[in-house]
Amino acid sequence: MQAIKRFGELKLEQFMQGVNNNWLIFSPLPHSKQHSSGLDDSIIISATPTVEIIDADLDVKIDPQYVYTYSIATDNKLKIAFDKSTHLDKGSALDTLKYISITYELGNLVPNGNYYRVVVRNSLGEEVHRTNPLLLDQVDKVISTLDDTRDVSTSGYVRYEIERDYIVN
């Protein structure tokens, strides 16, 4: 089975600056199968020329036929690298990538008891918060708390997604 996400739906963890390239590190792909190396070829990034590499090569000069290189290793974090001349800063890279989709293989999903996660997204569909596993009676409290404490001077709305918590085998 496969899943499809957009870069804009993933949570950015870090922006790295190297000698040749800059790269973005995203939180692990949700419910993704465990990767054994940076060369699984089980990830497809649409609408742009990309090639999979190993983590150690994130700062190696990128072959000109590709705009981006990416790596996903045993931590299941997606790392996408680009030449410094492609994007001058993190914001430019995120704006360009946010609508590009990633297709990947799901792992063997086993429900984690009666636990759920709350994923909070802004009006652009970007993840702004994700809870640890909670029981359903705790979910209501989290949503109420976030609604009551959210900065109302910020435009737009938030959307709550309640999803089952899984252990990925």
Side-chain angles (χ1 to χ4, degrees), residues 2-10 26 29-30 42-47 70 72 78 80 97-105:
Q2 293 183 326
I4 299 174
K5 292 284 184 190
R6 289 177 294 117
F7 275 99
E9 295 176 287
L10 300 175
F26 293 90
L29 293 170
S42 59
I43 307 269
I44 299 167
I45 297 177
S46 69
Y70 69 93
I72 184 159
L78 179 62
I80 186 153
L97 291 168
K98 69 182 167 187
Y99 297 114
I100 293 176
S101 66
I102 306 147
T103 304
Y104 61 94
E105 292 179 44

Side-chain angles (χ1 to χ4, degrees), residues 116-120 129-131 134 139 142-143 160-162:
Y116 295 82
R117 289 183 182 264
V118 177
V119 179
V120 184
H129 183 74
R130 176 181 291 265
T131 67
L134 302 166
V139 167
V142 167
I143 291 172
Y160 298 98
E161 296 173 3
I162 300 168

Side-chain angles (χ1 to χ4, degrees), residues 29-35 76 105-112 165-169:
L29 293 170
H31 309 119
S32 176
K33 77 171 195 156
Q34 182 67 43
H35 290 266
N76 273 4
E105 292 179 44
L106 292 173
N108 179 27
L109 305 179
V110 177
N112 181 16
D165 188 50
Y166 292 99
I167 299 167
V168 181
N169 291 331

Side-chain angles (χ1 to χ4, degrees), residues 2-62:
Q2 293 183 326
I4 299 174
K5 292 284 184 190
R6 289 177 294 117
F7 275 99
E9 295 176 287
L10 300 175
K11 187 167 182 100
L12 179 68
E13 287 189 355
Q14 205 170 2
F15 173 71
M16 302 292 296
Q17 294 182 308
V19 174
N20 296 301
N21 304 322
N22 293 335
W23 60 95
L24 302 169
I25 301 174
F26 293 90
S27 58
L29 293 170
H31 309 119
S32 176
K33 77 171 195 156
Q34 182 67 43
H35 290 266
S36 58
S37 73
L39 300 170
D40 292 57
D41 287 327
S42 59
I43 307 269
I44 299 167
I45 297 177
S46 69
T48 188
T50 60
V51 65
E52 188 171 6
I53 59 170
I54 59 172
D55 276 7
D57 290 344
L58 286 168
D59 201 24
V60 174
K61 205 130 183 71
I62 296 174

